[in-house]
Amino acid sequence: MAKLGLNVDHIATVRQARGGVEPDPVTAAALGELAGAEGITIHLREDRRHIQDRDLEILRRTVKSKLNLEMAATQEMVRIALKVKPEQVTLVPEKRQELTTEGGLDVIVNLKLITDTVKRLRDGGIIVSLFVDPNQEQVKAANKTGADYIEIHTGAYAEALTWPDQERELEAIDTAIKLARKVGLGVNAGHGLNYINIKALAAIGGIEEYNIGHSIIARALLVGLDRAVKDMVELIKYA
Ligand code: PXP
């Protein structure tokens, strides 16, 4: 059955707004796991705008399900990942000015860098996932790097406003899932997923893990994290 990976970056964003110590993403991760999340996802950005090195270090010791570290393929991040050893690293593109990750990796153009990075991480015993758009050429390139998983960037699906547009994006995702599985890659998905658009996506099957942050933390502000996580777990499992 598919799993929820709870992204707790936004808890850290609220903390950083005051530069203090609360709310703590470590506490949110523990509550999320108690409510049924089977993974905790954090993005350690170069500018440390939300998650801090301290969060990664403590979460490494406290997460009981699976720690998924999103990061750019830089020397600094590879060094940190090899030291901290999360169960999984998801490589993402990173631009300084963006509000959030804006698209998938260009694995075709950056094949050598990504292949080298995948090898170093896998040699360190870390599962590696590549965040890619639902594009067949990118999936084929991801397979060439030796990565274990792709995480399909669901942003275009989440932003599609009309049913025909959503349908078209779902078809692209479905094709990417089938190709990935055929060549032996596992499939995760994330970005922009919420309590409405998760239903049609989860119904197509083939996705092992959904990494979701914004919509769950936004709902948690109003109904509490326990209920927000439980509601999403139910939608994922019983779609
Ligand atoms: N997956 C990846 C690779 C991401 O970069 C993000 C955003 O940090 C997410 C999933 C979660 O996206 P959202 O916050 O829109 O649920």
Side-chain angles (χ1 to χ4, degrees):
M1 255 196 206
K3 296 175 179 166
L4 170 66
L6 174 66
N7 181 315
V8 295
D9 292 352
H10 287 320
I11 300 288
T13 299
V14 176
R15 176 191 61 194
Q16 297 310 112
R18 281 289 176 97
V21 294
E22 63 181 11
D24 194 329
V26 175
T27 313
L31 289 174
E33 285 188 318
L34 288 176
E38 293 180 86
I40 298 298
T41 293
I42 51 173
H43 185 172
L44 185 68
R45 295 187 72 104
E46 183 196 15
D47 62 9
R48 307 297 196 272
R49 69 172 72 157
H50 39 53
I51 292 295
Q52 305 296 307
D53 298 67
R54 163 262 184 213
D55 302 327
L56 172 61
E57 280 153 26
I58 300 178
L59 284 167
R60 170 58 301 178
R61 283 183 274 139
T62 57
V63 165
K64 293 166 192 70
S65 52
K66 167 181 161 186
L67 183 61
N68 174 35
L69 173 64
E70 291 175 7
M71 57 175 233
T74 62
Q75 293 293 341
E76 182 202 13
M77 288 299 153
V78 171
R79 188 179 43 73
I80 292 172
L82 289 173
K83 183 164 151 257
V84 176
K85 300 256 169 124
E87 276 78 24
Q88 178 174 290
V89 159
T90 300
L91 294 176
V92 298
E94 204 175 288
K95 292 190 213 126
R96 273 189 195 194
Q97 305 305 330
E98 67 191 359
L99 288 177
T100 179
T101 315
E102 281 170 357
L105 288 166
D106 192 336
V107 190
I108 300 166
V109 167
N110 299 295
L111 191 63
K112 177 153 175 23
L113 170 71
I114 295 174
T115 303
D116 291 349
T117 308
V118 167
K119 182 170 184 328
R120 288 179 67 195
L121 294 167
R122 290 192 86 243
D123 285 351
I126 300 170
I127 296 168
V128 184
S129 179
L130 303 182
F131 188 53
V132 292
D133 292 330
N135 168 301
Q136 297 191 53
E137 297 314 312
Q138 293 292 348
V139 175
K140 285 181 200 159
N143 188 43
K144 284 190 200 151
T145 67
D148 304 279
Y149 280 82
I150 54 165
E151 176 172 327
I152 296 181
H153 177 228
T154 50
Y157 165 63
E159 280 162 24
L161 293 178
T162 64
W163 284 1
D165 284 352
Q166 286 168 356
E167 201 51 47
R168 202 190 54 238
E169 294 301 333
L170 271 182
E171 269 172 36
I173 292 171
D174 192 28
T175 306
I177 294 172
K178 289 194 173 116
L179 175 61
R181 289 171 65 97
K182 196 169 138 205
V183 297
L185 286 162
V187 182
N188 302 327
H191 206 88
L193 297 177
N194 61 34
Y195 295 80
I196 309 284
N197 62 28
I198 190 72
K199 294 179 195 164
L201 180 64
I204 64 179
I207 296 171
E208 286 180 41
E209 180 182 289
Y210 296 88
N211 288 307
I212 308 179
H214 186 87
S215 68
I216 295 178
I217 303 305
R219 179 176 286 222
L221 287 174
L222 306 178
V223 305
L225 190 58
D226 184 70
R227 191 170 132 197
V229 170
K230 282 183 176 149
D231 287 352
M232 187 57 86
V233 166
E234 196 156 314
L235 289 172
I236 286 172
K237 295 219 182 279
Y238 306 107

